[in-house]
Amino acid sequence: MLGPVLALALVVALVQEPEVAPVEPPEISLSTRVNRAIAKGVERLKAQQQPDGSWAGFEGEHPGGLTALCTFTLLKSGVRRSDDSVRRGLARVLATEFKSTYSTSVKLMLLEALGDSQTYREHADASLDFLVQNQVAGEWAYPWGGADASNSQFALLGLRAAHRMGLDVPDATLVNAVKALYRLQDEKNGGFKYELNREATGGMTAASLGGLRVREELGAGRSAVTSLLRKFEKQHELADEFMTERWHPAQNAYGPNAWTPGFLSPYLWAVERGCGLTGRGKLGEHDWYEEGARWLVDEQSDDGAWLGTQETCLALLFLRRA
């Protein structure tokens, strides 16, 4: 039995024992968070696929377009060609009659991503011919409306995919695309508009800068294209300044002094395309990919989605630098 003095000493020692601070769990790296977000997003897309292999949405305006985009996104997110979701999505795409610039362009991007140009040559030829025939004064439009920067962005990416498959994009198509490049640029602030009577936005400016890179890539060795591009160097600089000065992952610039929380996934994907095609790592002092990726992984829903199916695809394409 402890004596009273020893017992008191033991009590004092226990009372005075310093508290041990809880150990903070190690911070999860951004790359790990991105990989987890991609995996969740892929599972979300697979869960939304219909029994017939399609993804539902916009079928009236862009038949086959969302299915092509989802299948393309799965491929670019690391899903194998042999995966059941990819195979069923591709079969549905090949069986669909495409009728819009958006859907046709994404179909070409999908076919190029498959890495088997000869097998899908007939489909690619028909899609390229559709884009060439539906160019209007150097731009592209909805079947029911006037030309806009968004349709033109997708058309140019479709032409690039066709070019990478070994198909010949006509000189006239490229020359006309260069001539129309700066029609939608705001002369005061250098940004690009969706349509003439709108304000310039970060998304449309990034999309147009990406489109400029596509024109340069496809126009290499074509003097009529390269000589025209040299005439627009000042306009290019102004657009680049608009994009750089207003970059923010959660704020799509709108006009000279404002921003909008709308169209953020298309905006970020346009930035990824514009910077990715030129190998650009920063916008001013900002690491656009790191900042955009942090914002996206924070915004992903528990079910793996970013708002709707289209937004989920574009978010995944950004994260994969696809």
Side-chain angles (χ1 to χ4, degrees), residues 220-263:
R222 307 189 198 206
S223 58
V225 176
T226 55
S227 61
L228 271 174
L229 286 170
R230 282 195 294 269
K231 296 180 179 180
F232 296 117
E233 290 180 357
K234 182 60 178 177
Q235 289 95 322
H236 178 197
E237 291 174 4
L238 289 172
D240 189 77
E241 289 173 6
F242 180 95
M243 186 74 255
T244 300
E245 292 172 0
R246 293 166 176 80
W247 157 252
H248 190 289
Q251 298 177 2
N252 182 5
Y254 184 82
N257 302 307
W259 59 272
T260 171
F263 302 102

Side-chain angles (χ1 to χ4, degrees), residues 37 40-42 44-45 48 69 73 77 265 300 303-319:
K40 286 174 62 178
V42 165
R44 174 65 177 175
L45 287 184
Q48 291 179 302
L69 179 61
T73 300
S77 296
S265 291
Q300 187 178 30
D303 64 5
W306 285 270
L307 298 178
T309 304
Q310 178 177 255
E311 290 85 358
T312 298
C313 288
L314 298 180
L316 287 171
L317 292 172
F318 177 96
L319 292 175

Side-chain angles (χ1 to χ4, degrees), residues 89-291:
L90 176 61
R92 185 67 181 180
V93 166
L94 297 179
T96 301
E97 181 182 358
F98 282 63
K99 298 180 179 180
S100 75
T101 295
Y102 273 127
S103 55
T104 301
S105 300
V106 179
K107 179 180 179 180
L108 274 168
M109 293 160 66
L110 167 61
L111 297 179
E112 190 267 326
L114 291 167
D116 188 357
S117 301
Q118 290 306 311
T119 298
Y120 304 106
R121 180 65 180 258
E122 183 177 346
H123 284 275
D125 274 330
S127 297
L128 173 59
D129 184 63
F130 179 94
L131 293 181
V132 170
Q133 295 302 320
N134 283 276
Q135 188 184 38
V136 180
E139 299 173 297
W140 285 266
Y142 291 111
W144 58 85
D148 62 74
S150 182
N151 272 289
S152 296
Q153 173 200 18
F154 273 86
L156 286 162
L157 291 172
L159 293 180
R160 180 176 184 266
H163 173 74
R164 288 168 62 86
M165 292 181 73
L167 305 185
D168 182 38
V169 179
D171 283 353
T173 301
L174 291 177
V175 168
N176 289 334
V178 173
K179 289 179 178 178
L181 175 57
Y182 292 97
R183 185 181 74 90
L184 294 175
Q185 187 177 32
D186 189 309
E187 296 180 358
K188 295 179 180 179
N189 59 44
F192 278 81
K193 311 169 185 179
Y194 177 81
E195 293 174 318
L196 277 177
N197 296 322
R198 300 201 189 185
E199 292 280 5
T201 69
M204 290 299 94
T205 303
S208 298
L209 287 171
L212 169 63
R213 176 58 189 142
V214 172
R215 291 169 172 90
E216 292 173 342
E217 182 180 330
L218 272 59
R222 307 189 198 206
S223 58
V225 176
T226 55
S227 61
L228 271 174
L229 286 170
R230 282 195 294 269
K231 296 180 179 180
F232 296 117
E233 290 180 357
K234 182 60 178 177
Q235 289 95 322
H236 178 197
E237 291 174 4
L238 289 172
D240 189 77
E241 289 173 6
F242 180 95
M243 186 74 255
T244 300
E245 292 172 0
R246 293 166 176 80
W247 157 252
H248 190 289
Q251 298 177 2
N252 182 5
Y254 184 82
N257 302 307
W259 59 272
T260 171
F263 302 102
L264 287 177
S265 291
Y267 158 56
L268 288 176
W269 183 62
V271 171
E272 188 280 326
R273 286 294 71 205
C275 293
L277 289 172
T278 58
R280 184 172 184 175
K282 288 190 174 184
L283 289 171
E285 298 298 318
H286 297 274
D287 185 323
W288 58 266
Y289 179 79
E290 179 176 333
E291 294 178 12

Side-chain angles (χ1 to χ4, degrees), residues 61-75:
E61 305 94 330
H62 310 289
L66 190 59
T67 299
L69 179 61
C70 289
T71 309
F72 173 71
T73 300
L74 291 178
L75 278 174

